Amino acid sequence: MNTGVRRIAIAVAASTMSLSLAACGALGAASSSEASPTKGNDITVGVLMPEKTNTRYEEFDYPIIKKKVAELTDKQGKTIYANGEANAKKQATQMQQMIDEKVDVILLDAVDSHAIAGMVKKAKDAGIPVIAYDRLAEGPIDAYVSFDNELVGEVQGRSLVEALGSGIDTSDKIVMINGSPSDPNAGQFKAGAMSELNGKVTIAESYDVDGWKPEIAQADMTKAIQALGKGNIKAVYSANDAMAGAAIKAMEDAGMDDLPPITGQDAELPAVQRILSGEQYMSVYKPYPGEAEAAAEMAVTRVQGKDIQFDALATDSVDSPTNKDIPAQLVQVVALTKDNIKSTVVNDGIYTVKDICTAAYASACAAVGLK
Ligand code: GAL
């Protein structure tokens, strides 16, 4: 294990620890302040997710939030859910509906963090707190919970450097496929990655992919292959797994048999399998329970007026383009490679070995001792 990866692994362990301590604190202290809560357990949490192409939101984030809200409210609290499907207007309409329905609090993962600011203000004016989830929405939000997004980019960049090995040369041509310009995380991933890649390789082609759409990423990768020549691409930085899959498709369609190392993010099941088969070099595993449970706790403690517990959940602080010193919790991440599939996604119950090691991957699984 190289030191960078070890540092991150330790950070993950530490964050999981502090998270569970914080959780204990929140639950432990709950009874003492139950005397004068703003609201009881009968609350409604509105949850707005940004897209479906990337499977994490519907498979993990929302179900975990829903379960945690129920658990924290003695099964009396409920969640209502809408997915914006990468359409900012659609999400604004969904948010308006939640305001009209007078939900008690909104967890918002914005399609477009800038465009949604007006709706955040509307919610605030209606007395509904808004907690930004994963992507930092602009406007008067109450708090933010996310992963350490700059670290995500650093982990990706560092992995790519590691994959290129000791023969790495500043003239090595890299193609960069970045996330959506409307998603502030995308800029942070890119900045983190650049901090590791700068001066070590040449970013020969770079694209920002609207809405994180795989079909756009595939077309961009095809353009890059045409511009650079298929033998001249040393590595591909893809900001997430769905786009990595698309870039691999473009390379395979162009007849590139020897795929260069390619990064990803989100530990999606097909990506975990591509890592096993060697088509994708790495992904970033973001421990979803850490983020989603913290969000549920923040939402419930805010509505119930449990300020001390709320503050304990948001000990970091971030600035958005419109607001300063937003209380935040930033959860750590870990590089996912062939070697730690078991200790990450399998141990956390994200996938079973059976999910991953289907017939086509049986020998690859055996080779890394995944059983
Ligand atoms: C980001 C998020 C990533 C990935 C990406 C594409 O905002 O942090 O985990 O899901 O969007 O949807």
Side-chain angles (χ1 to χ4, degrees):
M1 199 190 255
N2 89 11
T3 40
V5 176
R6 188 178 316 119
R7 181 175 71 81
I8 291 154
I10 291 167
V12 170
S15 86
T16 317
M17 224 153 63
S18 60
L19 204 82
S20 47
L21 288 179
C24 288
L27 294 174
S31 46
S32 62
S33 59
E34 249 158 30
S36 57
T38 306
K39 286 220 164 109
N41 280 333
D42 185 16
I43 59 172
T44 304
V45 180
V47 182
L48 292 160
M49 289 291 164
E51 57 160 295
K52 291 186 176 171
T53 311
N54 187 312
T55 51
R56 58 167 284 195
Y57 305 109
E58 305 238 310
E59 271 182 35
F60 304 113
D61 297 88
Y62 177 58
I64 297 170
I65 291 171
K66 187 176 173 186
K67 187 163 167 247
K68 191 71 185 175
V69 168
E71 198 179 300
L72 292 168
T73 55
D74 220 2
K75 299 213 174 84
Q76 291 172 56
K78 60 174 203 285
T79 49
I80 56 171
Y81 171 70
N83 190 302
E85 296 186 68
N87 181 332
K89 286 212 180 86
K90 182 171 184 166
Q91 186 171 59
T93 308
Q94 293 170 338
M95 190 156 171
Q96 181 64 58
Q97 267 161 14
M98 289 189 180
I99 296 171
D100 293 342
E101 285 172 36
K102 299 190 169 53
V103 298
D104 294 300
V105 55
I106 293 175
L107 284 173
L108 167 66
D109 193 339
V111 172
D112 185 322
S113 58
H114 179 70
I116 203 73
M119 294 308 297
V120 173
K121 171 131 194 332
K122 264 197 184 178
K124 182 91 184 165
D125 292 345
I128 302 171
V130 178
I131 297 170
Y133 185 75
D134 204 83
R135 301 178 182 173
L136 185 55
E138 293 181 21
I141 56 168
D142 275 49
Y144 176 52
V145 55
S146 190
F147 292 101
D148 183 338
N149 294 310
E150 188 105 11
L151 177 64
V152 171
E154 283 168 29
V155 167
Q156 293 170 321
R158 204 176 299 142
S159 299
L160 219 49
V161 169
E162 190 182 273
L164 290 168
S166 53
I168 189 169
D169 192 278
T170 48
S171 66
D172 286 350
K173 292 197 172 97
I174 307 289
V175 176
M176 238 188 155
I177 302 181
N178 299 294
S180 185
S182 63
D183 175 354
N185 292 355
Q188 288 185 284
F189 301 149
K190 191 179 186 174
M194 285 310 294
S195 73
E196 297 290 331
L197 297 172
N198 246 333
K200 296 197 184 104
V201 293
T202 300
I203 309 297
E205 300 287 328
S206 180
Y207 306 92
D208 292 331
V209 176
D210 260 337
W212 294 88
K213 294 202 171 94
E215 58 276 20
I216 301 181
Q218 188 172 336
D220 287 341
M221 189 65 214
T222 303
K223 272 187 251 160
I225 298 166
Q226 278 157 3
L228 303 172
K230 57 182 181 179
N232 297 323
I233 299 169
K234 279 277 161 45
V236 178
Y237 166 89
S238 164
N240 80 353
D241 289 337
M243 299 196 303
I248 289 169
K249 179 105 196 351
M251 290 190 276
E252 285 171 351
D253 287 354
M256 289 170 66
D257 305 322
D258 232 355
L259 292 176
I262 177 159
T263 61
Q265 168 181 194
D266 292 327
E268 294 204 64
L269 185 55
V272 176
Q273 292 172 323
R274 286 195 298 263
I275 291 171
L276 276 167
S277 67
E279 281 175 298
Q280 186 172 323
Y281 183 67
M282 60 84 71
S283 183
V284 177
Y285 172 53
K286 305 167 98 170
Y288 303 117
E291 184 187 38
E293 289 178 4
E297 287 175 28
M298 277 189 197
V300 172
T301 52
R302 166 88 327 163
V303 173
Q304 294 183 336
K306 293 174 179 160
D307 294 344
I308 296 169
Q309 292 91 324
F310 179 85
D311 291 346
L313 289 161
T315 50
D316 297 312
S317 157
V318 296
D319 295 341
S320 79
T322 57
N323 290 63
K324 300 267 167 276
D325 300 323
I326 300 160
Q329 180 175 141
L330 302 178
V331 180
Q332 300 297 302
V333 300
V334 68
L336 179 76
T337 60
K338 266 187 188 167
D339 306 319
N340 63 352
I341 292 175
K342 185 141 202 189
S343 64
T344 53
V345 287
V346 174
N347 269 5
D348 281 6
I350 304 292
Y351 309 120
T352 62
V353 171
K354 210 169 142 218
D355 294 333
I356 302 168
C357 300
T358 52
Y361 298 92
S363 60
C365 283
V368 295
L370 202 59
K371 49 178 188 273

